[in-house]
Amino acid sequence: MRLFGKNRREIERESRQAGRLPPGQSITRKLPVMSFGPLPSIDLSTWDLCVFGEVAESRCWNWEEFSALPTVSVTVDIHCVTHWSRLDSQWEGVRFRDFVALCDLKPSAQYVIAHCDGGYTTNLPLEVMLADEVLLAYRYEGAPLPAEHGAPLRTLVPSRYFWKSAKHLRKLEFSEVDRPGFWEQGGYHNEGDPFKEQRFRRDRF
Ligand SMILES: Nc1nc2c(c(=O)[nH]1)N[C@H]1C(S)=C(S)[C@@H](COP(=O)(O)O)O[C@H]1N2
Ligand SMILES: [Mo]
């Protein structure tokens, strides 16, 4: 298989040397679809994103309000626990840190639990979510986020395996205590750092 005119092995070797390809990963040019359960139907006229938990006041944004917030674009590498990595993927959305600035968090907020349409959940420390490249993303490669990739809105957390990037996001819970999400309860690692190869719970260190 040839990618970008180069042999895939060469690209993978170069990417690994450049510190961009974590152990046990190979490069894919596509973004495979990985979903648990049926695709939720989306109606933007009733959609909202709500925050609750360790915030001064619970609050919701409808699509009109949310999509009026300032956006940023990032070009990042994505790593899935099923051993594929997609380099240089381009996303646009609201920077998570900027969104948090609107939420009036209490100092007790230490963890973020993402709740999705369809019931999927995933958890991360707030500190991880405050990095520059963490987005509430609604555009992918210059077009609206496709349904199968999480429309209308998903979290994008490039520093963790891709199961930590919640598709069809509807609620953000700020919590004082950590609460493992869907795959974390199902045996995946709680942290999921691809460069530490934290795939499964037994890989913990
Ligand atoms: N709501 C929801 N979000 C989800 C999932 C899911 O099943 N439902 N799967 C996760 C997993 S395991 C992966 S690898 C990525 C896949 O995202 P993609 O389908 O856009 O590649 O989404 C994550 N977010
Ligand atoms: Mo996944």
Side-chain angles (χ1 to χ4, degrees), residues 32-36 80 116 120 149 154 162-163 165 167 183:
V33 176
M34 312 287 288
S35 283
F36 176 80
C80 179
C116 305
Y120 188 86
H149 290 303
R154 76 181 299 167
F162 209 25
W163 88 76
S165 292
K167 305 197 278 189
W183 281 122

Side-chain angles (χ1 to χ4, degrees), residues 16-33:
R16 227 176 276 286
Q17 278 167 0
R20 289 180 67 182
L21 193 61
Q25 298 294 109
S26 26
I27 289 176
T28 170
R29 217 169 8 166
K30 298 175 305 208
L31 187 61
V33 176

Side-chain angles (χ1 to χ4, degrees), residues 103-185:
C103 293
D104 211 351
L105 290 199
K106 295 183 183 170
S108 48
Q110 295 296 320
Y111 296 92
V112 181
I113 298 145
H115 298 257
C116 305
D117 256 337
Y120 188 86
T121 55
T122 187
N123 58 308
L124 276 171
L126 176 63
E127 200 190 334
V128 170
M129 298 291 287
L130 294 179
D132 282 357
E133 290 170 342
V134 176
L135 301 191
L136 298 171
Y138 58 88
R139 292 178 67 78
Y140 173 67
E141 305 288 349
L145 192 60
E148 67 275 18
H149 290 303
L153 186 71
R154 76 181 299 167
T155 60
L156 175 74
V157 189
S159 64
R160 294 295 182 264
Y161 283 122
F162 209 25
W163 88 76
K164 294 281 190 183
S165 292
K167 305 197 278 189
H168 321 294
L169 180 70
R170 288 299 296 273
K171 292 189 193 117
L172 287 166
E173 177 181 0
F174 294 94
S175 176
E176 194 164 5
V177 293
D178 197 9
R179 195 133 30 78
F182 179 82
W183 281 122
E184 293 82 2
Q185 288 176 42

Side-chain angles (χ1 to χ4, degrees), residues 47-50 59-61 66 99 136 153 169-171:
W47 181 93
D48 57 10
L49 175 68
C50 298
R59 189 175 156 192
C60 300
W61 284 254
F66 187 83
F99 183 74
L136 298 171
L153 186 71
L169 180 70
R170 288 299 296 273
K171 292 189 193 117

